[in-house]
Amino acid sequence: MSVRDSAPPAARALDLVCVGRAAVDLYGEQLGARLEDVQTFAKYLGGSPANTAVGASRLGLRCAMLSRVGDEHNGRFVRETLAAEGVDVSQLKTDPSRLTALVFLGLRDRDTFPLVFYRDNCADMGLCEDDVDPAVIAGARALLISGTHLSRPGTRAACLAAMRAARAAGTRVVLDIDYRPVLWGLTAPGLGEQRYIASAHVSAQLQEILPLCDLVVGTEEEVHIAGGSDDSATALRRIRALTPALIVMKRGPMGCVAYDGAIPARLDDGVAGPGFPVEVFNVLGAGDAFMAGLLRGWVRDEPLPQALRYANACGAIVVSRHGCAPAMPSWVELSHFLAHGSRHQRLREDAKLEQLHRASTRHRQWPGLAVLAFDHRSQFEEIAAKHGAPRERIPQFKALVARAAAQGHAAARAAHPLRHPGQAFPEAGVILDGRFGEQILPPLTGVGLWVARPVELPGSRPLDFEDGCNVGLALRTWPQEHVVKCLVYHHPDDEAGLAAQQVASVGLLAQACNATGHELLLEVIPPRGMATDDETLARALRQFYAAGIQPDWWKLPPPASEAAWRHIEDVIASNDPLCRGVLLLGMEASEQALREGFRTAAARPLCKGFAVGRSLFAEAAHGWFAGTLDDAAVIEQVAASYRRLIEFWTEARAEVGSATLVTNF
């Protein structure tokens, strides 16, 4: 047995360690414009190996990132984004003296993608040998090196140290040639999009490390630079003379071709990986997606043609989208594409594929939620008016409720291990409006809290939005983590014109949420006075699904029976098995009524918790606005009510038992 076979791959903690660039991409949002004319940018994680780490993680590989980021906001963004994608960031160092790299990118036309790197003395180029932990490398099945990090002595030394540690441990070494002439100092800083300049120096630097590689991947131009020749056959044969590695040459729309032995006389006689006929929208990041798909198969020793198929499919999906890392497909999405294909050459217009992408790449899971909803606007105005209090006092009361939410959840969590050891505890959440909660929302954001905000005009039927027809523009000003909550008073037996108008309005909102990356919580309440039965809510949900609307969450009145729950579950399961779940609303019910409803709902895996408001704060609100309760009393009263409701929910879950709650939702 050779040293390359000495460590059983299955016993290793990681599938892949990625070394190299970790940056922030600023993508121009105006399509067809010069970069000079772009006005707004979307911020994404960037850097070729970081993109590949995200892509490979989404495809099921256990990945780690070895690099550096700055000790600043962008560095924290890179770290948090990688971690949210399931990438191990224990080897991502924080450099106190350098800033995280930035890249500006544009989409001019199908052949022009302007690119400007801001990488002068950036953090990831501070990577050094001391940053490499041989034990981490030895604990991985593969090591990915990006060619950019071979361009400077310090980072090159770090790459070589990692590669030698890999060779010693039987970890396979992958080289992504990733040739950017500007990053080798071969062209003007403003010509970042230039893909190829012949350089004997670069060829020599690459050829020096080729003997250490087990897999070499590049475009035809990158094969040329690695092989030191502008003739593909000559370049490939030079690479083969230096390494027995599998060579995979990317050929754009034509797919790729792989060589696992001698280079044939006809280059097409290698192992072919046919491409997928899609529209080229954005070539930036497609190569990183290709690498992620290839590694998904290669690291797991799947047949080479299958690995190439993964690679080409991932590249095709990403080349049709905006952005690099966020465009990477998940395994669910890739499997669907390979099984069913798409009738759209513009894959971003494939509604099914895009929905699978959104739903399967959500960053945080919420297995349970205890939400205090105090987004009420008209109700607070009525309470204040009843007691002769000015509207300006409403934000003050809402600030007290926010403090009560934190206090009540903390108290319930502190008592939870004693009451229900081993049971998962619901996370805290709030629903709060921007009209009266504008100053309260910022401190609740970015701290791990589930936050939703309303967009509907209170009491409107047919549905209208508080920001009118500009709801999509309004959402662009929201933090991305804020969930869009929309209450619609809707009955499946509504008059046809009214129903169509309501569904159309929700459809426009869903499109705005998709475009801005916000999750949608759709609250459906049948209007008072209209008859309901066990199928009413399920029929209402079915109408929205039939219109192509797939909310991330549903907020519903407590279903009255087991049969009603089954109907709702059947509709959601058949239309969107990746739905986040259902939250129960309170409908001003008493604590005892809520407790009884929880006992029924707790047995339903699709129900993730509750979002209750007036049942918790209404009494305190009347007392405070009337002047009979002070601030401290409000906080104490609301916190106690919220804590009791959390305890009712956890008790109901405990009675059911965790075995009942196993589900695909």
Side-chain angles (χ1 to χ4, degrees), residues 383-428:
I383 293 173
K386 178 179 180 179
H387 298 287
R391 293 173 70 255
E392 288 72 24
R393 295 198 70 199
I394 296 174
Q396 300 171 34
F397 182 80
K398 293 203 172 194
L400 299 178
V401 176
R403 291 170 60 186
Q407 184 173 304
H409 189 269
R413 183 185 287 278
H416 178 73
L418 302 177
R419 299 168 65 92
H420 308 295
Q423 184 195 11
F425 190 73
E427 298 294 330

Side-chain angles (χ1 to χ4, degrees), residues 23 126 133 135 152 182 192 214 255 303 313 331 342 356 359 385 399 417 425 431 493 512 551 616-617 622 637 658:
D133 184 347
R152 298 289 184 271
V182 68
D214 297 282
W331 180 247
S342 176
L356 286 175
F425 190 73
I431 304 180
D493 295 329
L616 300 177
F617 67 71
H622 282 284
Q637 183 173 317
S658 59

Side-chain angles (χ1 to χ4, degrees), residues 49-67:
N51 291 336
T52 298
V54 169
S57 179
R58 287 183 176 182
L59 296 178
L61 296 186
R62 301 161 298 170
C63 301
M65 188 73 207
L66 172 55
S67 187

Side-chain angles (χ1 to χ4, degrees), residues 393 397 400 620 623-625 627-637:
R393 295 198 70 199
F397 182 80
L400 299 178
W624 188 82
F625 282 103
T628 60
L629 281 183
D630 62 14
D631 293 358
V634 167
I635 294 172
E636 181 180 1
Q637 183 173 317

Side-chain angles (χ1 to χ4, degrees), residues 220-234:
E220 288 194 72
E221 291 172 332
E222 289 171 338
V223 165
H224 292 170
I225 195 67
S229 172
D230 290 346
D231 177 73
S232 296
T234 302

Side-chain angles (χ1 to χ4, degrees), residues 209-528:
I209 61 95
L210 286 175
L212 299 175
C213 300
D214 297 282
L215 171 62
V216 178
V217 181
T219 63
E220 288 194 72
E221 291 172 332
E222 289 171 338
V223 165
H224 292 170
I225 195 67
S229 172
D230 290 346
D231 177 73
S232 296
T234 302
L236 285 166
R237 292 189 178 101
R238 176 57 179 160
I239 294 172
R240 174 57 72 234
L242 294 169
T243 178
L246 172 67
I247 305 169
V248 178
M249 185 168 69
K250 297 179 285 186
R251 307 179 77 181
M254 295 185 293
C256 63
V257 60
Y259 306 97
D260 56 359
I263 305 302
R266 278 177 19 94
L267 297 187
D268 288 342
D269 289 341
V271 180
F276 292 84
V278 299
E279 180 206 63
V280 175
F281 177 66
N282 169 31
V283 299
L284 305 169
D288 305 332
F290 178 97
M291 178 65 84
L294 177 65
L295 293 177
R296 168 60 170 81
W298 184 77
V299 168
R300 296 188 174 194
D301 297 317
E302 295 188 52
L304 180 56
Q306 181 73 323
L308 298 180
R309 192 162 181 256
Y310 295 157
N312 285 320
C314 287
I317 290 171
V318 171
V319 83
S320 186
R321 288 177 175 159
H322 195 264
C324 297
M328 299 287 167
S330 67
W331 180 247
V332 169
E333 181 186 356
L334 177 63
S335 299
H336 174 84
F337 179 67
L338 291 174
H340 303 287
S342 176
R343 61 185 180 86
H344 299 269
Q345 276 208 313
R346 296 181 175 186
L347 294 184
R348 63 191 176 281
E349 296 179 357
D350 186 321
K352 177 63 175 180
L353 200 62
E354 287 298 290
Q355 167 61 17
L356 286 175
H357 179 71
R358 287 189 298 271
S360 62
T361 59
R362 299 181 181 115
H363 274 180
R364 182 168 175 180
Q365 299 304 310
W366 301 95
L369 280 173
V371 178
L372 204 166
F374 53 114
D375 58 315
H376 309 70
R377 289 144 288 165
S378 58
Q379 294 91 339
F380 271 109
E381 290 173 332
E382 291 168 2
I383 293 173
K386 178 179 180 179
H387 298 287
R391 293 173 70 255
E392 288 72 24
R393 295 198 70 199
I394 296 174
Q396 300 171 34
F397 182 80
K398 293 203 172 194
L400 299 178
V401 176
R403 291 170 60 186
Q407 184 173 304
H409 189 269
R413 183 185 287 278
H416 178 73
L418 302 177
R419 299 168 65 92
H420 308 295
Q423 184 195 11
F425 190 73
E427 298 294 330
V430 297
I431 304 180
L432 176 60
D433 60 291
R435 185 197 298 180
F436 297 119
E438 182 181 10
Q439 300 303 314
I440 309 168
L441 282 164
L444 300 179
T445 301
V447 294
L449 193 67
W450 186 91
V451 179
R453 295 168 61 176
V455 292
E456 77 279 354
L457 187 66
S460 60
R461 177 171 154 86
L463 173 66
D464 199 359
F465 300 115
E466 193 158 48
D467 291 296
C469 60
N470 293 322
V471 63
L473 292 176
L475 295 186
R476 289 182 62 82
T477 69
W478 290 20
Q480 192 169 16
E481 70 178 73
H482 287 185
V483 176
V484 177
K485 172 255 174 181
C486 180
L487 165 58
V488 55
Y489 293 101
H490 180 76
H491 194 287
D493 295 329
D494 277 337
E495 183 271 325
L498 172 61
Q501 187 174 350
Q502 299 247 90
V503 171
S505 294
V506 175
L508 290 174
L509 176 62
Q511 291 175 17
C513 291
N514 294 342
T516 57
H518 289 92
E519 293 187 14
L520 173 61
L521 167 71
L522 188 57
E523 179 177 358
V524 180
I525 300 179
R528 291 180 180 177

Side-chain angles (χ1 to χ4, degrees), residues 556-562 564-565 568-569 582-587 589-612 615 645 647-653 655-656:
L556 303 175
S561 67
E562 294 281 339
W565 267 115
I568 290 169
E569 289 170 336
V582 172
L583 297 177
L584 298 180
L585 57 89
M587 301 289 289
S590 67
E591 284 190 359
Q592 185 57 38
L594 289 171
R595 191 174 194 176
E596 291 301 319
F598 287 176
R599 285 174 176 160
T600 302
R604 319 311 302 192
L606 184 58
C607 186
K608 302 304 182 185
F610 61 84
V612 174
S615 300
L645 214 57
E647 290 173 350
F648 293 162
W649 177 257
T650 56
E651 286 170 358
R653 282 292 205 199
E655 290 173 5
V656 172

